[in-house]
Amino acid sequence: MTQRKVLTRVRCVPRVGLEHTEVREIEVDCDQPHDDEFLRESIERFFSRRGMGEALYDLEVDDNGYFAVVNDEAYQQSWGKSLF
């Protein structure tokens, strides 16, 4: 049986919210998008491939689904799509 990859959009919010930060959205491949651990690993892999291995601070969920809390230092690089 072949595992199917699912392209999952995840909102990324800054941890502190310094002046240069914003809410962004990323797309990650995830085998099981509704499993916290698999989604966390996919997000960590996304940032690690861009040289930001410590970008993900936490993974949370609200009424709109999962969102990643990202360390503000990661916002010094270009990644994701701005939502505002």
Side-chain angles (χ1 to χ4, degrees), residues 33-69:
H34 302 292
D35 181 293
D36 291 4
E37 192 57 37
F38 283 105
L39 185 55
R40 179 182 295 276
E41 289 171 8
S42 295
I43 295 168
E44 287 174 343
R45 195 170 31 255
F46 172 90
F47 284 113
S48 183
R49 288 179 180 159
R50 288 158 178 78
M52 299 178 283
E54 300 294 320
L56 181 64
Y57 177 74
D58 201 4
L59 183 62
E60 299 285 335
V61 66
D62 63 12
D63 292 341
N64 296 314
Y66 285 102
F67 64 95
V69 180

PDB file of all heavy atoms in Angstrom, residues 33-69:
ATOM      1  N   PRO A  33      -2.253  14.699   7.761  1.00  0.00           N
ATOM      2  CA  PRO A  33      -2.341  16.107   8.129  1.00  0.00           C
ATOM      3  C   PRO A  33      -3.099  16.395   9.424  1.00  0.00           C
ATOM      4  O   PRO A  33      -3.008  17.483   9.953  1.00  0.00           O
ATOM      5  CB  PRO A  33      -3.069  16.729   6.940  1.00  0.00           C
ATOM      6  CG  PRO A  33      -3.817  15.609   6.325  1.00  0.00           C
ATOM      7  CD  PRO A  33      -2.981  14.374   6.560  1.00  0.00           C
ATOM      8  N   HIS A  34      -3.837  15.435   9.939  1.00  0.00           N
ATOM      9  CA  HIS A  34      -4.593  15.693  11.163  1.00  0.00           C
ATOM     10  C   HIS A  34      -3.976  15.021  12.382  1.00  0.00           C
ATOM     11  O   HIS A  34      -4.631  14.815  13.381  1.00  0.00           O
ATOM     12  CB  HIS A  34      -6.049  15.266  10.986  1.00  0.00           C
ATOM     13  CG  HIS A  34      -6.696  15.972   9.845  1.00  0.00           C
ATOM     14  ND1 HIS A  34      -6.952  17.321   9.873  1.00  0.00           N
ATOM     15  CD2 HIS A  34      -7.096  15.547   8.632  1.00  0.00           C
ATOM     16  CE1 HIS A  34      -7.502  17.690   8.718  1.00  0.00           C
ATOM     17  NE2 HIS A  34      -7.591  16.636   7.957  1.00  0.00           N
ATOM     18  N   ASP A  35      -2.708  14.687  12.256  1.00  0.00           N
ATOM     19  CA  ASP A  35      -1.963  14.097  13.358  1.00  0.00           C
ATOM     20  C   ASP A  35      -0.896  15.104  13.782  1.00  0.00           C
ATOM     21  O   ASP A  35      -0.045  15.482  12.980  1.00  0.00           O
ATOM     22  CB  ASP A  35      -1.332  12.777  12.908  1.00  0.00           C
ATOM     23  CG  ASP A  35      -0.569  12.097  14.019  1.00  0.00           C
ATOM     24  OD1 ASP A  35       0.470  12.655  14.444  1.00  0.00           O
ATOM     25  OD2 ASP A  35      -0.996  11.023  14.450  1.00  0.00           O
ATOM     26  N   ASP A  36      -0.957  15.535  15.036  1.00  0.00           N
ATOM     27  CA  ASP A  36      -0.049  16.570  15.531  1.00  0.00           C
ATOM     28  C   ASP A  36       1.420  16.279  15.231  1.00  0.00           C
ATOM     29  O   ASP A  36       2.141  17.151  14.749  1.00  0.00           O
ATOM     30  CB  ASP A  36      -0.207  16.743  17.042  1.00  0.00           C
ATOM     31  CG  ASP A  36      -1.531  17.341  17.443  1.00  0.00           C
ATOM     32  OD1 ASP A  36      -2.380  17.573  16.562  1.00  0.00           O
ATOM     33  OD2 ASP A  36      -1.729  17.553  18.646  1.00  0.00           O
ATOM     34  N   GLU A  37       1.867  15.082  15.526  1.00  0.00           N
ATOM     35  CA  GLU A  37       3.287  14.766  15.390  1.00  0.00           C
ATOM     36  C   GLU A  37       3.737  14.777  13.929  1.00  0.00           C
ATOM     37  O   GLU A  37       4.793  15.313  13.600  1.00  0.00           O
ATOM     38  CB  GLU A  37       3.607  13.418  16.035  1.00  0.00           C
ATOM     39  CG  GLU A  37       5.089  13.160  16.198  1.00  0.00           C
ATOM     40  CD  GLU A  37       5.809  14.232  16.999  1.00  0.00           C
ATOM     41  OE1 GLU A  37       5.238  14.768  17.962  1.00  0.00           O
ATOM     42  OE2 GLU A  37       6.971  14.553  16.652  1.00  0.00           O
ATOM     43  N   PHE A  38       2.953  14.188  13.045  1.00  0.00           N
ATOM     44  CA  PHE A  38       3.311  14.190  11.628  1.00  0.00           C
ATOM     45  C   PHE A  38       3.314  15.608  11.065  1.00  0.00           C
ATOM     46  O   PHE A  38       4.186  15.972  10.279  1.00  0.00           O
ATOM     47  CB  PHE A  38       2.352  13.311  10.814  1.00  0.00           C
ATOM     48  CG  PHE A  38       2.633  11.849  10.951  1.00  0.00           C
ATOM     49  CD1 PHE A  38       1.809  11.056  11.725  1.00  0.00           C
ATOM     50  CD2 PHE A  38       3.719  11.268  10.307  1.00  0.00           C
ATOM     51  CE1 PHE A  38       2.061   9.697  11.863  1.00  0.00           C
ATOM     52  CE2 PHE A  38       3.981   9.922  10.435  1.00  0.00           C
ATOM     53  CZ  PHE A  38       3.153   9.132  11.215  1.00  0.00           C
ATOM     54  N   LEU A  39       2.350  16.416  11.450  1.00  0.00           N
ATOM     55  CA  LEU A  39       2.287  17.794  10.977  1.00  0.00           C
ATOM     56  C   LEU A  39       3.465  18.593  11.517  1.00  0.00           C
ATOM     57  O   LEU A  39       4.100  19.357  10.782  1.00  0.00           O
ATOM     58  CB  LEU A  39       0.967  18.439  11.381  1.00  0.00           C
ATOM     59  CG  LEU A  39       0.713  19.843  10.838  1.00  0.00           C
ATOM     60  CD1 LEU A  39       0.830  19.896   9.323  1.00  0.00           C
ATOM     61  CD2 LEU A  39      -0.653  20.336  11.281  1.00  0.00           C
ATOM     62  N   ARG A  40       3.786  18.412  12.781  1.00  0.00           N
ATOM     63  CA  ARG A  40       4.940  19.098  13.382  1.00  0.00           C
ATOM     64  C   ARG A  40       6.222  18.745  12.627  1.00  0.00           C
ATOM     65  O   ARG A  40       7.018  19.624  12.285  1.00  0.00           O
ATOM     66  CB  ARG A  40       5.075  18.722  14.856  1.00  0.00           C
ATOM     67  CG  ARG A  40       6.273  19.366  15.545  1.00  0.00           C
ATOM     68  CD  ARG A  40       6.374  18.919  16.990  1.00  0.00           C
ATOM     69  NE  ARG A  40       5.247  19.380  17.772  1.00  0.00           N
ATOM     70  CZ  ARG A  40       5.165  20.587  18.330  1.00  0.00           C
ATOM     71  NH1 ARG A  40       6.141  21.447  18.179  1.00  0.00           N
ATOM     72  NH2 ARG A  40       4.107  20.925  19.034  1.00  0.00           N
ATOM     73  N   GLU A  41       6.418  17.477  12.328  1.00  0.00           N
ATOM     74  CA  GLU A  41       7.612  17.047  11.593  1.00  0.00           C
ATOM     75  C   GLU A  41       7.658  17.659  10.199  1.00  0.00           C
ATOM     76  O   GLU A  41       8.721  18.060   9.727  1.00  0.00           O
ATOM     77  CB  GLU A  41       7.654  15.522  11.505  1.00  0.00           C
ATOM     78  CG  GLU A  41       7.948  14.853  12.825  1.00  0.00           C
ATOM     79  CD  GLU A  41       7.784  13.344  12.774  1.00  0.00           C
ATOM     80  OE1 GLU A  41       7.583  12.780  11.667  1.00  0.00           O
ATOM     81  OE2 GLU A  41       7.843  12.713  13.848  1.00  0.00           O
ATOM     82  N   SER A  42       6.520  17.755   9.538  1.00  0.00           N
ATOM     83  CA  SER A  42       6.466  18.345   8.201  1.00  0.00           C
ATOM     84  C   SER A  42       6.825  19.828   8.238  1.00  0.00           C
ATOM     85  O   SER A  42       7.536  20.333   7.366  1.00  0.00           O
ATOM     86  CB  SER A  42       5.074  18.172   7.596  1.00  0.00           C
ATOM     87  OG  SER A  42       4.801  16.809   7.393  1.00  0.00           O
ATOM     88  N   ILE A  43       6.330  20.537   9.238  1.00  0.00           N
ATOM     89  CA  ILE A  43       6.642  21.965   9.375  1.00  0.00           C
ATOM     90  C   ILE A  43       8.118  22.150   9.707  1.00  0.00           C
ATOM     91  O   ILE A  43       8.792  23.011   9.138  1.00  0.00           O
ATOM     92  CB  ILE A  43       5.746  22.618  10.443  1.00  0.00           C
ATOM     93  CG1 ILE A  43       4.286  22.572   9.985  1.00  0.00           C
ATOM     94  CG2 ILE A  43       6.191  24.047  10.740  1.00  0.00           C
ATOM     95  CD1 ILE A  43       3.292  22.917  11.073  1.00  0.00           C
ATOM     96  N   GLU A  44       8.642  21.341  10.605  1.00  0.00           N
ATOM     97  CA  GLU A  44      10.067  21.423  10.947  1.00  0.00           C
ATOM     98  C   GLU A  44      10.931  21.147   9.721  1.00  0.00           C
ATOM     99  O   GLU A  44      11.944  21.816   9.504  1.00  0.00           O
ATOM    100  CB  GLU A  44      10.394  20.454  12.073  1.00  0.00           C
ATOM    101  CG  GLU A  44       9.854  20.906  13.412  1.00  0.00           C
ATOM    102  CD  GLU A  44      10.046  19.888  14.525  1.00  0.00           C
ATOM    103  OE1 GLU A  44      10.316  18.695  14.237  1.00  0.00           O
ATOM    104  OE2 GLU A  44       9.902  20.279  15.694  1.00  0.00           O
ATOM    105  N   ARG A  45      10.541  20.179   8.912  1.00  0.00           N
ATOM    106  CA  ARG A  45      11.265  19.852   7.680  1.00  0.00           C
ATOM    107  C   ARG A  45      11.223  21.039   6.705  1.00  0.00           C
ATOM    108  O   ARG A  45      12.218  21.386   6.086  1.00  0.00           O
ATOM    109  CB  ARG A  45      10.673  18.594   7.053  1.00  0.00           C
ATOM    110  CG  ARG A  45      11.489  17.944   6.013  1.00  0.00           C
ATOM    111  CD  ARG A  45      10.996  16.553   5.576  1.00  0.00           C
ATOM    112  NE  ARG A  45       9.558  16.334   5.647  1.00  0.00           N
ATOM    113  CZ  ARG A  45       8.936  15.604   6.573  1.00  0.00           C
ATOM    114  NH1 ARG A  45       9.634  15.016   7.535  1.00  0.00           N
ATOM    115  NH2 ARG A  45       7.625  15.431   6.549  1.00  0.00           N
ATOM    116  N   PHE A  46      10.052  21.697   6.590  1.00  0.00           N
ATOM    117  CA  PHE A  46       9.901  22.875   5.727  1.00  0.00           C
ATOM    118  C   PHE A  46      10.945  23.938   6.102  1.00  0.00           C
ATOM    119  O   PHE A  46      11.654  24.463   5.243  1.00  0.00           O
ATOM    120  CB  PHE A  46       8.483  23.447   5.860  1.00  0.00           C
ATOM    121  CG  PHE A  46       8.283  24.763   5.159  1.00  0.00           C
ATOM    122  CD1 PHE A  46       7.862  24.787   3.845  1.00  0.00           C
ATOM    123  CD2 PHE A  46       8.509  25.962   5.816  1.00  0.00           C
ATOM    124  CE1 PHE A  46       7.671  26.005   3.188  1.00  0.00           C
ATOM    125  CE2 PHE A  46       8.318  27.177   5.174  1.00  0.00           C
ATOM    126  CZ  PHE A  46       7.907  27.193   3.855  1.00  0.00           C
ATOM    127  N   PHE A  47      11.016  24.273   7.378  1.00  0.00           N
ATOM    128  CA  PHE A  47      11.951  25.307   7.820  1.00  0.00           C
ATOM    129  C   PHE A  47      13.397  24.836   7.773  1.00  0.00           C
ATOM    130  O   PHE A  47      14.297  25.596   7.417  1.00  0.00           O
ATOM    131  CB  PHE A  47      11.584  25.792   9.225  1.00  0.00           C
ATOM    132  CG  PHE A  47      10.393  26.703   9.232  1.00  0.00           C
ATOM    133  CD1 PHE A  47       9.203  26.299   9.820  1.00  0.00           C
ATOM    134  CD2 PHE A  47      10.447  27.963   8.665  1.00  0.00           C
ATOM    135  CE1 PHE A  47       8.092  27.141   9.832  1.00  0.00           C
ATOM    136  CE2 PHE A  47       9.349  28.815   8.664  1.00  0.00           C
ATOM    137  CZ  PHE A  47       8.169  28.396   9.245  1.00  0.00           C
ATOM    138  N   SER A  48      13.642  23.599   8.114  1.00  0.00           N
ATOM    139  CA  SER A  48      15.002  23.066   8.097  1.00  0.00           C
ATOM    140  C   SER A  48      15.608  23.126   6.697  1.00  0.00           C
ATOM    141  O   SER A  48      16.788  23.456   6.527  1.00  0.00           O
ATOM    142  CB  SER A  48      14.996  21.626   8.613  1.00  0.00           C
ATOM    143  OG  SER A  48      16.292  21.124   8.665  1.00  0.00           O
ATOM    144  N   ARG A  49      14.807  22.825   5.687  1.00  0.00           N
ATOM    145  CA  ARG A  49      15.286  22.883   4.294  1.00  0.00           C
ATOM    146  C   ARG A  49      15.670  24.298   3.880  1.00  0.00           C
ATOM    147  O   ARG A  49      16.371  24.490   2.900  1.00  0.00           O
ATOM    148  CB  ARG A  49      14.214  22.341   3.352  1.00  0.00           C
ATOM    149  CG  ARG A  49      14.044  20.861   3.454  1.00  0.00           C
ATOM    150  CD  ARG A  49      12.977  20.363   2.526  1.00  0.00           C
ATOM    151  NE  ARG A  49      12.833  18.917   2.658  1.00  0.00           N
ATOM    152  CZ  ARG A  49      11.769  18.252   2.300  1.00  0.00           C
ATOM    153  NH1 ARG A  49      10.733  18.885   1.768  1.00  0.00           N
ATOM    154  NH2 ARG A  49      11.708  16.950   2.466  1.00  0.00           N
ATOM    155  N   ARG A  50      15.203  25.279   4.605  1.00  0.00           N
ATOM    156  CA  ARG A  50      15.508  26.671   4.321  1.00  0.00           C
ATOM    157  C   ARG A  50      16.559  27.231   5.283  1.00  0.00           C
ATOM    158  O   ARG A  50      16.754  28.435   5.375  1.00  0.00           O
ATOM    159  CB  ARG A  50      14.222  27.497   4.390  1.00  0.00           C
ATOM    160  CG  ARG A  50      13.323  27.206   3.202  1.00  0.00           C
ATOM    161  CD  ARG A  50      11.882  27.556   3.443  1.00  0.00           C
ATOM    162  NE  ARG A  50      11.074  27.293   2.264  1.00  0.00           N
ATOM    163  CZ  ARG A  50      10.656  26.079   1.880  1.00  0.00           C
ATOM    164  NH1 ARG A  50      10.987  25.008   2.593  1.00  0.00           N
ATOM    165  NH2 ARG A  50       9.935  25.921   0.794  1.00  0.00           N
ATOM    166  N   GLY A  51      17.203  26.342   6.031  1.00  0.00           N
ATOM    167  CA  GLY A  51      18.264  26.752   6.940  1.00  0.00           C
ATOM    168  C   GLY A  51      17.779  27.372   8.228  1.00  0.00           C
ATOM    169  O   GLY A  51      18.516  28.092   8.893  1.00  0.00           O
ATOM    170  N   MET A  52      16.522  27.098   8.604  1.00  0.00           N
ATOM    171  CA  MET A  52      15.945  27.676   9.824  1.00  0.00           C
ATOM    172  C   MET A  52      15.445  26.551  10.728  1.00  0.00           C
ATOM    173  O   MET A  52      14.253  26.468  11.038  1.00  0.00           O
ATOM    174  CB  MET A  52      14.789  28.619   9.457  1.00  0.00           C
ATOM    175  CG  MET A  52      15.184  29.778   8.589  1.00  0.00           C
ATOM    176  SD  MET A  52      13.774  30.829   8.146  1.00  0.00           S
ATOM    177  CE  MET A  52      12.996  29.835   6.872  1.00  0.00           C
ATOM    178  N   GLY A  53      16.338  25.693  11.144  1.00  0.00           N
ATOM    179  CA  GLY A  53      15.972  24.522  11.916  1.00  0.00           C
ATOM    180  C   GLY A  53      15.268  24.795  13.229  1.00  0.00           C
ATOM    181  O   GLY A  53      14.540  23.959  13.741  1.00  0.00           O
ATOM    182  N   GLU A  54      15.436  25.970  13.778  1.00  0.00           N
ATOM    183  CA  GLU A  54      14.833  26.314  15.073  1.00  0.00           C
ATOM    184  C   GLU A  54      13.664  27.280  14.924  1.00  0.00           C
ATOM    185  O   GLU A  54      13.287  27.944  15.890  1.00  0.00           O
ATOM    186  CB  GLU A  54      15.899  26.926  15.990  1.00  0.00           C
ATOM    187  CG  GLU A  54      17.077  26.006  16.264  1.00  0.00           C
ATOM    188  CD  GLU A  54      16.679  24.774  17.060  1.00  0.00           C
ATOM    189  OE1 GLU A  54      15.854  24.894  17.985  1.00  0.00           O
ATOM    190  OE2 GLU A  54      17.179  23.692  16.735  1.00  0.00           O
ATOM    191  N   ALA A  55      13.061  27.366  13.740  1.00  0.00           N
ATOM    192  CA  ALA A  55      12.000  28.351  13.499  1.00  0.00           C
ATOM    193  C   ALA A  55      10.703  28.018  14.235  1.00  0.00           C
ATOM    194  O   ALA A  55      10.049  28.900  14.771  1.00  0.00           O
ATOM    195  CB  ALA A  55      11.731  28.487  12.008  1.00  0.00           C
ATOM    196  N   LEU A  56      10.330  26.753  14.259  1.00  0.00           N
ATOM    197  CA  LEU A  56       9.053  26.374  14.868  1.00  0.00           C
ATOM    198  C   LEU A  56       9.158  26.404  16.392  1.00  0.00           C
ATOM    199  O   LEU A  56       9.977  25.722  16.987  1.00  0.00           O
ATOM    200  CB  LEU A  56       8.626  24.980  14.413  1.00  0.00           C
ATOM    201  CG  LEU A  56       7.288  24.486  14.970  1.00  0.00           C
ATOM    202  CD1 LEU A  56       6.136  25.370  14.482  1.00  0.00           C
ATOM    203  CD2 LEU A  56       7.051  23.039  14.583  1.00  0.00           C
ATOM    204  N   TYR A  57       8.299  27.216  17.000  1.00  0.00           N
ATOM    205  CA  TYR A  57       8.256  27.283  18.464  1.00  0.00           C
ATOM    206  C   TYR A  57       7.211  26.320  19.014  1.00  0.00           C
ATOM    207  O   TYR A  57       7.460  25.602  19.974  1.00  0.00           O
ATOM    208  CB  TYR A  57       7.955  28.716  18.913  1.00  0.00           C
ATOM    209  CG  TYR A  57       7.822  28.847  20.405  1.00  0.00           C
ATOM    210  CD1 TYR A  57       8.951  28.803  21.214  1.00  0.00           C
ATOM    211  CD2 TYR A  57       6.575  28.983  21.000  1.00  0.00           C
ATOM    212  CE1 TYR A  57       8.831  28.903  22.594  1.00  0.00           C
ATOM    213  CE2 TYR A  57       6.446  29.087  22.368  1.00  0.00           C
ATOM    214  CZ  TYR A  57       7.575  29.047  23.162  1.00  0.00           C
ATOM    215  OH  TYR A  57       7.450  29.136  24.524  1.00  0.00           O
ATOM    216  N   ASP A  58       6.022  26.302  18.391  1.00  0.00           N
ATOM    217  CA  ASP A  58       4.953  25.458  18.886  1.00  0.00           C
ATOM    218  C   ASP A  58       3.928  25.239  17.779  1.00  0.00           C
ATOM    219  O   ASP A  58       3.894  25.966  16.794  1.00  0.00           O
ATOM    220  CB  ASP A  58       4.284  26.110  20.092  1.00  0.00           C
ATOM    221  CG  ASP A  58       3.537  25.124  20.970  1.00  0.00           C
ATOM    222  OD1 ASP A  58       3.588  23.905  20.700  1.00  0.00           O
ATOM    223  OD2 ASP A  58       2.876  25.564  21.925  1.00  0.00           O
ATOM    224  N   LEU A  59       3.089  24.238  17.964  1.00  0.00           N
ATOM    225  CA  LEU A  59       1.994  23.947  17.059  1.00  0.00           C
ATOM    226  C   LEU A  59       0.713  23.982  17.874  1.00  0.00           C
ATOM    227  O   LEU A  59       0.606  23.303  18.894  1.00  0.00           O
ATOM    228  CB  LEU A  59       2.184  22.573  16.410  1.00  0.00           C
ATOM    229  CG  LEU A  59       1.146  22.143  15.382  1.00  0.00           C
ATOM    230  CD1 LEU A  59       1.152  23.095  14.188  1.00  0.00           C
ATOM    231  CD2 LEU A  59       1.421  20.722  14.923  1.00  0.00           C
ATOM    232  N   GLU A  60      -0.233  24.809  17.461  1.00  0.00           N
ATOM    233  CA  GLU A  60      -1.485  24.995  18.196  1.00  0.00           C
ATOM    234  C   GLU A  60      -2.665  24.743  17.270  1.00  0.00           C
ATOM    235  O   GLU A  60      -2.499  24.622  16.058  1.00  0.00           O
ATOM    236  CB  GLU A  60      -1.569  26.423  18.749  1.00  0.00           C
ATOM    237  CG  GLU A  60      -0.465  26.793  19.721  1.00  0.00           C
ATOM    238  CD  GLU A  60      -0.635  26.172  21.083  1.00  0.00           C
ATOM    239  OE1 GLU A  60      -1.780  25.861  21.463  1.00  0.00           O
ATOM    240  OE2 GLU A  60       0.378  25.999  21.776  1.00  0.00           O
ATOM    241  N   VAL A  61      -3.853  24.704  17.843  1.00  0.00           N
ATOM    242  CA  VAL A  61      -5.070  24.551  17.049  1.00  0.00           C
ATOM    243  C   VAL A  61      -6.143  25.488  17.594  1.00  0.00           C
ATOM    244  O   VAL A  61      -6.212  25.729  18.799  1.00  0.00           O
ATOM    245  CB  VAL A  61      -5.543  23.074  17.042  1.00  0.00           C
ATOM    246  CG1 VAL A  61      -5.984  22.626  18.410  1.00  0.00           C
ATOM    247  CG2 VAL A  61      -6.606  22.816  16.010  1.00  0.00           C
ATOM    248  N   ASP A  62      -6.922  26.073  16.670  1.00  0.00           N
ATOM    249  CA  ASP A  62      -8.051  26.904  17.070  1.00  0.00           C
ATOM    250  C   ASP A  62      -9.246  26.537  16.192  1.00  0.00           C
ATOM    251  O   ASP A  62      -9.211  25.518  15.500  1.00  0.00           O
ATOM    252  CB  ASP A  62      -7.702  28.400  17.005  1.00  0.00           C
ATOM    253  CG  ASP A  62      -7.376  28.892  15.612  1.00  0.00           C
ATOM    254  OD1 ASP A  62      -7.625  28.174  14.620  1.00  0.00           O
ATOM    255  OD2 ASP A  62      -6.882  30.026  15.486  1.00  0.00           O
ATOM    256  N   ASP A  63     -10.267  27.362  16.185  1.00  0.00           N
ATOM    257  CA  ASP A  63     -11.472  27.073  15.400  1.00  0.00           C
ATOM    258  C   ASP A  63     -11.199  26.985  13.899  1.00  0.00           C
ATOM    259  O   ASP A  63     -11.980  26.395  13.158  1.00  0.00           O
ATOM    260  CB  ASP A  63     -12.544  28.133  15.652  1.00  0.00           C
ATOM    261  CG  ASP A  63     -13.099  28.058  17.067  1.00  0.00           C
ATOM    262  OD1 ASP A  63     -12.943  26.998  17.719  1.00  0.00           O
ATOM    263  OD2 ASP A  63     -13.686  29.061  17.524  1.00  0.00           O
ATOM    264  N   ASN A  64     -10.114  27.600  13.447  1.00  0.00           N
ATOM    265  CA  ASN A  64      -9.762  27.588  12.024  1.00  0.00           C
ATOM    266  C   ASN A  64      -8.749  26.508  11.671  1.00  0.00           C
ATOM    267  O   ASN A  64      -8.247  26.469  10.553  1.00  0.00           O
ATOM    268  CB  ASN A  64      -9.222  28.956  11.604  1.00  0.00           C
ATOM    269  CG  ASN A  64     -10.274  30.025  11.737  1.00  0.00           C
ATOM    270  OD1 ASN A  64     -11.410  29.832  11.320  1.00  0.00           O
ATOM    271  ND2 ASN A  64      -9.918  31.143  12.333  1.00  0.00           N
ATOM    272  N   GLY A  65      -8.394  25.664  12.618  1.00  0.00           N
ATOM    273  CA  GLY A  65      -7.450  24.577  12.359  1.00  0.00           C
ATOM    274  C   GLY A  65      -6.099  24.809  13.011  1.00  0.00           C
ATOM    275  O   GLY A  65      -5.946  25.648  13.898  1.00  0.00           O
ATOM    276  N   TYR A  66      -5.123  24.056  12.540  1.00  0.00           N
ATOM    277  CA  TYR A  66      -3.772  24.144  13.090  1.00  0.00           C
ATOM    278  C   TYR A  66      -3.094  25.443  12.674  1.00  0.00           C
ATOM    279  O   TYR A  66      -3.346  25.973  11.592  1.00  0.00           O
ATOM    280  CB  TYR A  66      -2.913  22.987  12.583  1.00  0.00           C
ATOM    281  CG  TYR A  66      -3.217  21.670  13.243  1.00  0.00           C
ATOM    282  CD1 TYR A  66      -3.989  20.713  12.594  1.00  0.00           C
ATOM    283  CD2 TYR A  66      -2.731  21.376  14.512  1.00  0.00           C
ATOM    284  CE1 TYR A  66      -4.263  19.492  13.193  1.00  0.00           C
ATOM    285  CE2 TYR A  66      -3.004  20.163  15.126  1.00  0.00           C
ATOM    286  CZ  TYR A  66      -3.772  19.226  14.460  1.00  0.00           C
ATOM    287  OH  TYR A  66      -4.048  18.034  15.054  1.00  0.00           O
ATOM    288  N   PHE A  67      -2.223  25.942  13.557  1.00  0.00           N
ATOM    289  CA  PHE A  67      -1.346  27.046  13.194  1.00  0.00           C
ATOM    290  C   PHE A  67      -0.016  26.863  13.901  1.00  0.00           C
ATOM    291  O   PHE A  67       0.059  26.283  14.988  1.00  0.00           O
ATOM    292  CB  PHE A  67      -1.970  28.414  13.496  1.00  0.00           C
ATOM    293  CG  PHE A  67      -2.214  28.690  14.954  1.00  0.00           C
ATOM    294  CD1 PHE A  67      -1.280  29.381  15.711  1.00  0.00           C
ATOM    295  CD2 PHE A  67      -3.395  28.276  15.570  1.00  0.00           C
ATOM    296  CE1 PHE A  67      -1.510  29.645  17.056  1.00  0.00           C
ATOM    297  CE2 PHE A  67      -3.642  28.543  16.898  1.00  0.00           C
ATOM    298  CZ  PHE A  67      -2.695  29.232  17.656  1.00  0.00           C
ATOM    299  N   ALA A  68       1.039  27.323  13.235  1.00  0.00           N
ATOM    300  CA  ALA A  68       2.388  27.206  13.770  1.00  0.00           C
ATOM    301  C   ALA A  68       2.785  28.524  14.414  1.00  0.00           C
ATOM    302  O   ALA A  68       2.567  29.592  13.844  1.00  0.00           O
ATOM    303  CB  ALA A  68       3.368  26.864  12.650  1.00  0.00           C
ATOM    304  N   VAL A  69       3.353  28.441  15.591  1.00  0.00           N
ATOM    305  CA  VAL A  69       3.918  29.608  16.256  1.00  0.00           C
ATOM    306  C   VAL A  69       5.396  29.602  15.903  1.00  0.00           C
ATOM    307  O   VAL A  69       6.117  28.642  16.200  1.00  0.00           O
ATOM    308  CB  VAL A  69       3.713  29.552  17.785  1.00  0.00           C
ATOM    309  CG1 VAL A  69       4.321  30.783  18.447  1.00  0.00           C
ATOM    310  CG2 VAL A  69       2.232  29.406  18.124  1.00  0.00           C
TER     311      VAL A  69
END
